[in-house]
C-alpha cells in the first residue's frame, strides 16, 4: 500500500462540477487497441460490445486488475464483523467472465450473486459452474436498475465496472449517479461497497455525490506501471439529496459537458480553416 486516506461523508461532498473534471480526464483512457491490426474497442459502448467480446472469449476467463488474491483481504475484512462471515450475501457487480466469484466460492463464501449486462457472459459462467459451484446465482441485469430488493446485500464488489461505465463520455455523470445510487439502495445499512479501480478520480468523486451516504477509505495498491485503488465505502447516514434530484443535476452536467466539447471541436475546425487560408495567401 503506497497511500491511504479516509473521509466521512460530511468531510468532502462532491459536486457534479468535480465529476465533470474527472470525465474530461477519463475520455482519453477508454478507447484503445490491444494489437496494431485490431480495430479500436470502446469499453463504454454498451451491451452489444460486451456480448460480442464475450462471444469471442467463451471457454476463457479474464480478471480485470488482477485475481482474487489481490483483493481477498478487503472482502474478508468487509465480512469479518457479521455473525457468519462466510454466509455474507455478496454481489459481484459487472462480473463478466472473471474468476472472482468462483474464487470467493472456493474460499468458503456461498451466497454469491454474479451480475452482468451481457447474456453471453452470464450463460457462459452459469454453464461453467453448474456442477462445481451450483450455489452461485448468475443474473443478467443492468447496473443502473438492479433487479434486487432494497438492502439485499452485505457486500457489493465493483472490480473495474466503474472504469468501463465511466467510458461513456456523454453520460458519465448520469451513469455514475445511477449506478452508485442503485448500489446504495441494495446494500444493507452498515454494508460495504468495495470499488477496485484504475481511474481513482471517478470513484473518489462519485462516491461522495450528495445522494449517497458512505463513509469512505481509499488505498492505493501496488500495480507495476499502472494505477490501482481500493475504495472501501460503508453505508451510513441518510443522504443529503434525493436520487431524483441528483439524476436531474447529472443529466444537466452531461449536457453541459457535451456542449462544451462541441464548442471546442468547432473552435478547432475554425482554427484549421483559418490556418489553411493563411497558407494559400
Amino acid at each position: 500500500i503506497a497511500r491511504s486516506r479516509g473521509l466521512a461523508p460530511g468531510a468532502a461532498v462532491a459536486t457534479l462540477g468535480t465529476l465533470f473534471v474527472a470525465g474530461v480526464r477519463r475520455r482519453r483512457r477508454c478507447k484503445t487497441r490491444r494489437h496494431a491490426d485490431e480495430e479500436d474497442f470502446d469499453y463504454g459502448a454498451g451491451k452489444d460490445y460486451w456480448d460480442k467480446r464475450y462471444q469471442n472469449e467463451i471457454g476463457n476467463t479474464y480478471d480485470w486488475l488482477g485475481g482474487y488474491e489481490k483483493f481477498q483481504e478487503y472482502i474478508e475484512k468487509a465480512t469479518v464483523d457479521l455473525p457468519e462471515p462466510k454466509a455474507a450475501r455478496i454481489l459481484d457487480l459487472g462480473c463478466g467472465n472473471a474468476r472472482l466469484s468462483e474464487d470467493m466460492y472456493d474460499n468458503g463464501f456461498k451466497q454469491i450473486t454474479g451480475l452482468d449486462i451481457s447474456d453471453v457472459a452470464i450463460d457462459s459462467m452459469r454453464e461453467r459452474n453448474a456442477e462445481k459451484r451450483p450455489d452461485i446465482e448468475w443474473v443478467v441485469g443492468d447496473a443502473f436498475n438492479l433487479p434486487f430488493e432494497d438492502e439485499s446485500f452485505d457486500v457489493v464488489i465493483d472490480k473495474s465496472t466503474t472504469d468501463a461505465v465511466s467510458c461513456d463520455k456523454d453520460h458519465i455523470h448520469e451513469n455514475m449517479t445511477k449506478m452508485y445510487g442503485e448500489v446504495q439502495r441494495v446494500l444493507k445499512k452498515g454494508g460495504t461497497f468495495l470499488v477496485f479501480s484504475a481511474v481513482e478520480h471517478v470513484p473518489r468523486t462519485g462516491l461522495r455525490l450528495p445522494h449517497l451516504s458512505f463513509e469512505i477509505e481509499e488505498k492505493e495498491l501496488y500495480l507495476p506501471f499502472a494505477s490501482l485503488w481500493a475504495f472501501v465505502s460503508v453505508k451510513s447516514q441518510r443522504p443529503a439529496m434525493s436520487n431524483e434530484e441528483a439524476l436531474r443535476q447529472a443529466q444537466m452536467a452531461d449536457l453541459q459537458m457535451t456542449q462544451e466539447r462541441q464548442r471546442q471541436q468547432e473552435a478547432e475546425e475554425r482554427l484549421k480553416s483559418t490556418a489553411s487560408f493563411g497558407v494559400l495567401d
Side-chain angles (χ1 to χ4, degrees):
I1 296 171
R3 285 181 284 171
S4 66
R5 51 179 158 175
L7 286 172
V13 176
T15 66
L16 291 171
T18 51
L19 191 54
F20 172 90
V21 174
V24 172
R25 294 177 184 169
R26 183 72 185 113
R27 288 184 312 191
R28 299 184 179 91
R29 304 189 184 185
C30 295
K31 298 189 74 173
T32 185
R33 295 182 181 182
R34 285 175 289 184
H35 303 290
D37 59 345
E38 289 187 346
E39 295 182 358
D40 286 349
F41 57 95
D42 188 345
Y43 298 143
K47 183 181 186 304
D48 290 344
Y49 166 79
W50 290 107
D51 278 343
K52 182 178 179 180
R53 180 186 177 106
Y54 289 129
Q55 187 66 49
N56 292 331
E57 296 180 356
I58 287 179
N60 298 316
T61 61
Y62 183 77
D63 275 278
W64 299 89
L65 304 181
Y68 177 56
E69 67 281 353
K70 186 179 292 292
F71 311 106
Q72 181 177 350
E73 65 175 288
Y74 295 94
I75 297 168
E76 292 183 343
K77 185 176 179 180
T79 60
V80 69
D81 291 330
L82 296 174
E84 296 182 58
K86 295 297 186 180
R89 288 209 64 199
I90 300 175
L91 173 61
D92 184 0
L93 184 67
C95 62
N97 61 0
R99 286 187 49 86
L100 179 64
S101 288
E102 299 176 349
D103 291 339
M104 285 192 293
Y105 188 93
D106 293 346
N107 193 40
F109 294 101
K110 301 304 181 186
Q111 296 196 67
I112 301 168
T113 299
L115 176 138
D116 201 274
I117 197 171
S118 171
D119 305 68
V120 176
I122 291 299
D123 288 346
S124 176
M125 295 303 285
R126 185 183 291 123
E127 180 178 354
R128 171 185 166 90
N129 290 283
E131 293 185 9
K132 191 173 181 180
R133 304 175 183 92
D135 296 326
I136 299 179
E137 183 180 10
W138 301 102
V139 176
V140 177
D142 187 347
F144 303 150
N145 186 22
L146 292 173
F148 307 115
E149 298 294 327
D150 294 358
E151 300 191 357
S152 298
F153 295 95
D154 299 293
V155 179
V156 177
I157 302 172
D158 166 352
K159 186 163 73 73
S160 204
T161 301
T162 282
D163 301 23
V165 168
S166 65
C167 282
D168 182 358
K169 61 181 181 294
D170 292 330
H171 302 93
I172 183 173
H173 300 84
E174 181 177 354
N175 288 351
M176 303 320 301
T177 298
K178 283 182 176 180
M179 187 170 80
Y180 286 173
E182 277 293 274
V183 169
Q184 178 171 261
R185 179 182 66 79
V186 303
L187 194 62
K188 297 177 183 179
K189 187 174 181 179
T192 302
F193 180 28
L194 297 174
V195 180
F196 303 111
S197 174
V199 287
E200 72 276 7
H201 45 273
V202 176
R204 179 175 295 139
T205 305
L207 289 167
R208 296 182 173 93
L209 288 171
H211 70 306
L212 305 176
S213 58
F214 292 121
E215 294 181 358
I216 305 161
E217 292 185 359
E218 55 183 76
K219 296 181 180 179
E220 186 177 13
L221 310 182
Y222 175 73
L223 193 65
F225 310 109
S227 173
L228 175 57
W229 287 75
F231 292 82
V232 181
S233 307
V234 178
K235 183 176 176 179
S236 57
Q237 64 191 21
R238 182 183 295 276
M241 182 183 291
S242 69
N243 285 0
E244 292 77 11
E245 176 60 18
L247 182 57
R248 185 188 70 81
Q249 292 192 18
Q251 291 168 338
M252 289 177 59
D254 280 328
L255 178 61
Q256 292 170 359
M257 188 168 70
T258 300
Q259 291 172 339
E260 176 61 26
R261 187 164 57 249
Q262 290 173 343
R263 284 193 291 268
Q264 290 176 355
Q265 291 172 347
E266 290 169 0
E268 290 172 1
E269 290 299 321
R270 287 195 299 271
L271 184 61
K272 290 178 182 177
S273 177
T274 302
S276 297
F277 281 118
V279 171
L280 291 175
D281 290 340

